[in-house]
Amino acid sequence: MTDTDFNERKARASDWFRNLRDEIVAAFETLEANHASGPFSDEPPGRFEVTPTTRRSDDGSDAGGGVMSVLRGGRVFEKVGVNVSTVYGTLGAAAQKAMAARGVPGIELDPSFWASGISLVAHMRNPQVPAVHMNTRMFWTPHAWWFGGGSDLNPALEYAEDTAHFHAVQKTFLDPHGTQLYPELKAWADEYFFIPHRNRARGVGGIFMDDRNTGDWEADFALVQDIGRAFLPAFVPLVERRRGAEFTEADRDTQLVHRGLYAEYNLVHDRGTKFGLATGHDANAVLMSLPPLAKWV
């Protein structure tokens, strides 16, 4: 495939992630505006603050960037970030070693890279509403390309019907790409979002994949698009179901402790956090996933 062909594909992927970001931001602001009853409904609705982000190469030159969109202190969302970025440059020695260990070909020959994606983490005001994470991305090097991403639910207070709905929507969107995909990606999420030092999962799971390259770029791109499309129908009904529910101080305490668990995972184990910080991306954007308040017992 020629460089021109791949430049066109990079642009398509980058545009898709940006458009998905716009759709999600609009949907979340609608949730804020339409919160008419229950806890916090008498407060003003939250709006996203949008900030450009930049990545700098080792020599200080521009190496891409993106947009960080964060809503803080809303009626429904205590903190939610929806970030998009397109970055490029040369991978450092540590990143090259990590990718070579994963079997990415050609890194030792040419460590140039290009990456684009969307990353979302929502920490909710009401402890009855589950926190959630979603990201999708494309990565390219001169000798390889791949897609990755998924979404997972992280409730402080678990409801079996919420978990069942979230997983059922993921399966519905994955099945057209092969009925084997949902169980494979669910198992991958269960493994990836496990916290070894706590000997427990971060939440109630979802789907996850990385290094997705079947050799058919169009098919793999269609899959990552459907992972992104699944997010709103999987999550928004849960928010609408729970945002007006009453809760106790004990529920809030449980939520804050669960957020501590989430912070531990992202700082110690999350591959995307490590990559973003190691490759010079905007630290505030990389650490957007951290909750505004948390506690440890």
Side-chain angles (χ1 to χ4, degrees):
M1 181 174 294
T2 68
D3 289 343
T4 300
D5 291 334
F6 247 111
N7 286 339
E8 185 268 339
R9 290 182 172 183
K10 290 176 188 176
R12 284 174 59 195
S14 182
D15 287 347
W16 160 254
F17 298 133
R18 178 65 66 93
N19 290 336
L20 180 60
R21 172 262 174 205
D22 293 346
E23 182 181 353
I24 292 171
V25 164
F28 282 3
E29 288 193 339
T30 297
L31 284 172
E32 283 283 324
N34 292 345
H35 182 37
S37 62
F40 317 116
S41 60
D42 58 345
E43 300 179 10
R47 297 295 300 272
F48 279 89
E49 297 178 6
V50 179
T51 307
T53 63
T54 58
R55 176 184 178 270
R56 297 295 178 184
S57 63
D58 290 341
D59 63 6
S61 60
D62 177 70
V67 175
M68 177 171 62
S69 305
V70 181
L71 187 158
R72 298 178 178 88
R75 303 196 291 189
V76 177
F77 299 94
E78 190 165 356
K79 178 188 176 186
V80 55
V82 190
N83 294 353
V84 288
S85 64
T86 299
V87 297
Y88 47 83
T90 302
L91 293 168
Q96 292 180 45
K97 182 178 179 180
M99 290 191 177
R102 284 161 49 195
V104 177
I107 293 295
E108 70 283 357
L109 300 176
D110 188 341
S112 302
F113 83 98
W114 175 98
S116 185
I118 176 173
S119 180
L120 176 156
V121 177
H123 298 287
M124 313 307 293
R125 191 83 182 271
N126 189 326
Q128 301 282 0
V129 185
V132 73
H133 156 260
M134 186 276 292
N135 77 80
T136 56
R137 58 192 176 275
M138 175 187 165
F139 205 100
W140 173 93
T141 75
H143 297 277
W145 56 263
W146 64 92
F147 291 97
S151 60
D152 65 298
L153 199 66
N154 297 271
L157 305 170
E158 295 183 17
Y159 293 94
E161 61 268 34
D162 290 3
T163 302
H165 170 84
F166 189 81
H167 280 271
V169 173
Q170 310 297 332
K171 185 177 187 303
T172 296
F173 277 80
L174 290 183
D175 277 355
H177 302 274
T179 55
Q180 82 287 352
L181 269 176
Y182 168 72
E184 288 178 3
L185 271 55
K186 178 186 181 300
W188 200 337
D190 290 342
E191 178 181 359
Y192 184 74
F193 296 114
F194 187 81
I195 306 175
H197 66 269
R198 296 291 187 183
N199 194 33
R200 61 156 294 175
R202 185 174 80 174
V204 295
I207 56 172
F208 179 78
M209 68 176 187
D210 210 351
D211 303 335
R212 177 79 179 183
N213 180 340
T214 65
D216 186 335
W217 188 91
E218 293 291 349
D220 292 345
F221 183 40
L223 171 61
V224 88
Q225 287 177 293
D226 273 341
I227 290 174
R229 291 187 184 105
F231 174 73
L232 287 175
F235 181 61
V236 168
L238 307 183
V239 179
E240 293 173 333
R241 179 186 296 168
R242 304 289 176 193
R243 63 184 172 183
E246 298 298 325
F247 64 90
T248 66
E249 286 299 318
D251 294 335
R252 174 63 168 171
D253 191 70
T254 298
Q255 180 190 46
L256 295 180
V257 171
H258 191 79
R259 285 181 179 177
L261 188 75
Y262 195 95
E264 288 177 23
Y265 177 88
N266 279 33
L267 292 173
V268 176
H269 299 291
D270 186 71
R271 186 184 295 171
T273 301
K274 293 178 179 179
F275 179 83
L277 294 176
T279 56
H281 195 52
D282 188 302
N284 289 328
V286 175
L287 297 175
M288 169 275 295
S289 62
L290 296 180
L293 294 171
K295 68 181 293 185
W296 284 261
V297 296

